[in-house]
Every structure is written in C-alpha cells, then in structure tokens.
Amino acid sequence: MSFLRRATVVASSMFVFGVAGLACSSSDDDAQPLDNGVDDVKLACEARASWTTPAAEKCVACRMMASSPDCGCEAFKGFGGHCAAQGDARRAEPTCTQQVADCRTACAENDCACLDGCYAAAEACKKATAAEDGCVAKICEQYCN
C-alpha cells in the first residue's frame, strides 16, 4: 500500500472515529490528555498480572471500554474513552494484523513474554499497542486492585 493511500486510510479512520467520539461524548467534557502509562507491552502486561480483582465488574468494563469512544454512559464514567486515541491508532496501524491478534489470543493471560514476542515482526504495531496497553493498565488499575 502506498504511503499516500495509507495516509488517506488513516486520516479517514481518524475522522470517522473522531465524529463517532463527538457524537457519543458526554456533555460535561471529560477529555483527558494522552497518557500512555508505562508505554510498553510487556510492562503493561506485568501491571495487569499484579491486579488483585481482574474479574471485578468495573475492572472488566474498564478494560473493554477505555479504548472505545466515550459513550457518555454513567456506567463507564471515569474510564470510557480515556484511551480511545491510542486504540484508534492501534486499529489504524497496518502492521497490527490478524496474525498478531491471533498470537496475543494464544498466549496465556499473564504470559507477558509470550505477549511481547507476538510483536517480533511488527515493531510499528508493538509501539501502537504499547501506548494503548499502557494507557488501559494505568486508567483501569484503580478498578482492578
């Protein structure tokens, strides 16, 4: 894929997600500055592995909704959409292929070395995922411990 075509796809995706985010955002503008937390796939995994209540309802909701556009829903207040920009960037990254996703799925939940190894041939995807995983680990920690 040419650079110009890839840039157009990324820009279009960002516009669509941006419009969706605006349509779903809450009226009290909870916009947060970008914060990638540890900004590292393996360190974010290790942080999640140390959580004491990862199956708690609020923790699960946070992990699912932090990287999605904020819907303004009361149930997701405090974390919904907090990492949406990082999630959008990861979803737009062409090297984040189904093969990488399948590798992540095949790793045991707290096997951080396995997870980190999934990005051996996808450095740009690893960088985008590090930002998203780091952000989610940071924002969800309060709901998962």
Side-chain angles (χ1 to χ4, degrees), residues 5-85:
R5 185 168 175 206
R6 186 176 318 149
T8 302
V9 169
V10 170
S12 297
S13 297
M14 291 174 70
F15 175 76
V16 169
F17 283 111
V19 169
L22 288 175
C24 295
S25 65
S26 62
S27 60
D28 60 348
D29 195 8
D30 292 329
Q32 301 283 332
L34 289 181
D35 184 349
N36 297 340
V38 294
D39 204 10
D40 184 275
V41 171
K42 189 173 182 182
L43 292 177
C45 175
E46 290 170 356
R48 290 188 307 269
S50 73
W51 289 346
T52 57
T53 59
E57 184 177 340
K58 200 77 161 178
C59 178
V60 172
C62 183
R63 291 179 71 181
M64 289 175 40
M65 299 306 295
S67 296
S68 300
D70 184 12
C71 66
C73 305
E74 189 62 33
F76 307 136
K77 188 160 183 69
F79 57 81
H82 187 85
C83 306

Side-chain angles (χ1 to χ4, degrees), residues 48-128:
R48 290 188 307 269
S50 73
W51 289 346
T52 57
T53 59
E57 184 177 340
K58 200 77 161 178
C59 178
V60 172
C62 183
R63 291 179 71 181
M64 289 175 40
M65 299 306 295
S67 296
S68 300
D70 184 12
C71 66
C73 305
E74 189 62 33
F76 307 136
K77 188 160 183 69
F79 57 81
H82 187 85
C83 306
Q86 293 92 331
D88 290 347
R90 183 198 44 84
R91 288 185 285 276
E93 173 50 51
T95 62
C96 290
T97 63
Q98 187 61 48
Q99 182 178 4
V100 173
D102 290 346
C103 180
R104 282 183 64 109
T105 301
C107 295
E109 185 175 357
N110 293 329
D111 186 346
C112 300
C114 176
L115 190 65
D116 193 52
C118 291
Y119 299 96
E123 194 60 39
C125 182
K126 183 176 185 176
K127 182 177 180 177

